[in-house]
Amino acid sequence: MRKLRMGMIGGGIGSFIGDVHRKASGLDGMIELVCGAFSSTAEKSKASGKALLLPEDRCYGSFEEMILKEKELPEDIRMDFVSIVTPNHMHFGPARLALENGFHVVCDKPLTLTVDEAKVLEKLVKSTGLHFALTHNYPGSPMVKQAKAMVKNGDLGKIRKVQVHYLQGWMATAVEDSGNKQAVWRVDPSKSGVGGALGDIGTHAHNMLEYVTGLKVKELAADLGKFGKGRLLDDDGNILLRLENGAKGTMSFSQIAVGEENNFSIRVYGEKGSLEWHQETPNELTTRWIDKPKVVYTPNGHELYPNAIAASRIPAGHPEGYLEAFANVYKNFATHVNASLTDTKIETPDYPTVYDGIRGVQFIHAAIESDKQNAAWVGLSSFTRRD
């Protein structure tokens, strides 16, 4: 294995998510940032690159320039993959160009603005054999991996009911009017797409549900709200779900829930037991059983499945959280890319891919359509997921 070379698109100095990606990708020493197109203007991009101590000739004015010029560099110098950390409307173009020019891709969610765009990327991934990671970071948590393994192993029995919610309160007031950069683009349909909170955090909830249960959402009935004065996109929502095995589900998400910070949780109920996990207390996975006492699992604790152990980074009792979970996505992606560079076979990689991205975009559009029809039941487009 060697250290992979990363080029970043978006995420200039002052960007919250760009800084997160840089920290997470560097946590395991498997990846180094070598170049970037960090802003929509060449001047800001080069200023960010300089602040990040990158060589001037590897700081580009646009993503097109970066991808095409990096391709011309010798193989032992040029970037191996791009990390796309832009607002939603700038995911598809850079991802497509990177794949067309032979570069692997890491991309923020949602994958694209439309299902058709998502399927273009799927076809490129299939035809090129390149790797594509979508940064749903929460499944990188050791306890989420333990939850998935317990469901897959049948420990809970047949799944009957799932509850998932993601509640925030940071947009309870008109923060977009005060110049909050994170809010400004999220309330703009030209940059965010058709979903507001739905695309921002609802997609996390949908991905978590399908990841942990291994079940696809078959149909949904969505009731979306626009509580912020003058907002064109949803900032709140409640959704009923029907899963492919007949199980029922509920989802609630909001960015106007006053007092909530990042209240993301999932509960799964089976015939023999149940589990629950909360993002704000990520070191605990609580399980309850019909015929035995409650059991609480912790990272690097007792009786964990292999994937949960592999994702645990430090001795039991030490906090592991957001950055560590994010880093596990990058670590597993880097391991997969390095394996392909050395023709080494590995097990199916455990990180979200372009296929998860398509599911997320389908979910957004199904929920929007359902809400337009007064919360009518709408089916997600048929799609065979590669596990």
Side-chain angles (χ1 to χ4, degrees):
M1 294 179 66
R2 65 168 174 82
K3 187 173 285 192
L4 297 179
R5 298 178 290 272
M6 178 175 78
M8 181 167 281
I9 299 172
I13 296 302
S15 162
F16 161 72
I17 200 64
D19 193 44
V20 167
H21 277 259
R22 286 187 287 271
K23 290 175 180 175
S25 62
L27 199 59
D28 292 285
M30 300 174 70
I31 296 168
E32 63 178 331
L33 179 67
V34 298
C35 64
F38 300 102
S39 177
S40 57
T41 70
E43 183 180 4
K44 290 181 180 179
S45 176
K46 292 180 179 181
S48 290
K50 182 178 180 180
L52 292 168
L53 306 180
L54 292 177
E56 187 175 351
D57 63 346
R58 304 292 289 277
C59 303
Y60 300 99
S62 68
F63 73 83
E64 294 95 340
E65 180 189 17
M66 183 182 85
I67 290 170
L68 297 178
K69 285 195 173 181
E70 286 289 317
K71 185 180 180 181
E72 295 174 356
L73 295 176
E75 287 188 17
D76 61 342
I77 296 175
R78 70 183 180 215
M79 67 182 180
D80 295 297
F81 73 95
V82 299
S83 179
I84 303 170
V85 296
T86 60
N88 302 351
H89 71 297
M90 286 298 294
H91 290 177
F92 175 66
R96 178 177 63 180
L97 190 63
L99 292 169
E100 289 173 343
N101 284 276
F103 296 108
H104 306 282
V105 176
V106 175
C107 183
D108 265 344
K109 56 77 210 161
L111 178 62
T112 57
L113 297 189
T114 70
V115 175
D116 286 344
E117 287 177 343
K119 289 187 174 180
V120 168
L121 296 185
E122 176 202 7
K123 289 179 181 178
L124 280 170
V125 169
K126 285 183 176 179
S127 64
T128 62
L130 294 165
H131 303 311
F132 195 112
L134 191 74
T135 51
H136 282 297
N137 57 300
Y138 298 106
S141 168
M143 293 301 90
V144 174
K145 295 192 182 300
Q146 174 70 8
K148 177 181 177 65
M150 293 181 76
V151 172
K152 186 175 181 180
N153 194 54
D155 297 354
L156 274 60
K158 183 180 179 181
I159 302 306
R160 293 171 166 172
K161 182 179 182 67
V162 185
Q163 294 181 323
V164 59
H165 70 242
Y166 200 152
L167 306 176
Q168 300 175 336
W170 70 286
M171 295 184 72
T173 61
V175 289
E176 61 270 29
D177 294 340
S178 63
N180 183 308
K181 290 176 62 177
Q182 297 300 318
V184 168
W185 74 261
R186 282 176 167 82
V187 301
D188 183 350
S190 70
K191 293 180 172 61
S192 184
V194 296
L198 173 68
D200 193 23
I201 58 177
T203 50
H204 274 308
H206 168 257
N207 176 260
M208 177 68 75
L209 184 152
E210 292 200 343
Y211 179 79
V212 171
T213 67
L215 301 170
K216 291 183 222 162
V217 174
K218 185 178 179 181
E219 296 176 293
L220 58 78
D223 181 21
L224 307 180
K226 301 171 186 175
F227 288 96
K229 185 178 179 180
R231 284 182 183 159
L232 301 176
L233 300 175
D234 62 273
D235 51 22
D236 182 84
N238 298 287
I239 304 180
L240 295 177
L241 306 164
R242 292 171 178 165
L243 308 187
E244 59 184 345
N245 75 331
K248 309 295 184 181
T250 59
M251 178 189 297
S252 179
F253 59 88
S254 181
Q255 292 180 318
I256 51 86
V258 174
E260 298 290 358
E261 294 178 339
N262 203 52
N263 185 357
F264 184 20
S265 71
I266 183 169
R267 295 178 176 89
V268 181
Y269 299 89
E271 293 176 328
K272 298 187 292 184
S274 66
L275 59 80
E276 68 175 284
W277 178 81
H278 298 264
Q279 190 276 150
E280 293 183 335
T281 53
N283 274 24
E284 296 183 355
L285 174 68
T286 301
T287 61
R288 297 176 176 87
W289 309 95
I290 286 178
D291 55 356
K292 56 185 178 182
K294 175 175 72 175
V295 177
V296 178
Y297 294 90
T298 58
N300 257 328
H302 298 292
E303 299 182 2
L304 297 184
Y305 283 98
N307 278 4
I309 294 172
S312 300
R313 293 172 169 273
I314 48 183
H318 294 76
E320 295 189 49
Y322 181 79
L323 277 178
E324 290 86 352
F326 222 114
N328 281 333
V329 175
Y330 269 101
K331 180 178 73 172
N332 293 345
F333 170 77
T335 300
H336 195 200
V337 172
N338 256 312
S340 66
L341 293 175
T342 58
D343 292 323
T344 303
K345 290 185 178 181
I346 63 171
E347 294 183 8
T348 303
D350 187 9
Y351 60 84
T353 70
V354 68
Y355 304 97
D356 299 277
I358 292 178
R359 292 291 299 167
V361 178
Q362 289 174 336
F363 164 76
I364 292 170
H365 285 269
I368 293 294
E369 181 62 28
S370 172
D371 182 65
K372 287 180 180 177
Q373 298 182 37
N374 197 27
W377 285 99
V378 172
L380 270 72
S381 302
S382 177
F383 179 73
T384 302
R385 173 173 170 170
R386 185 187 72 175
D387 290 318

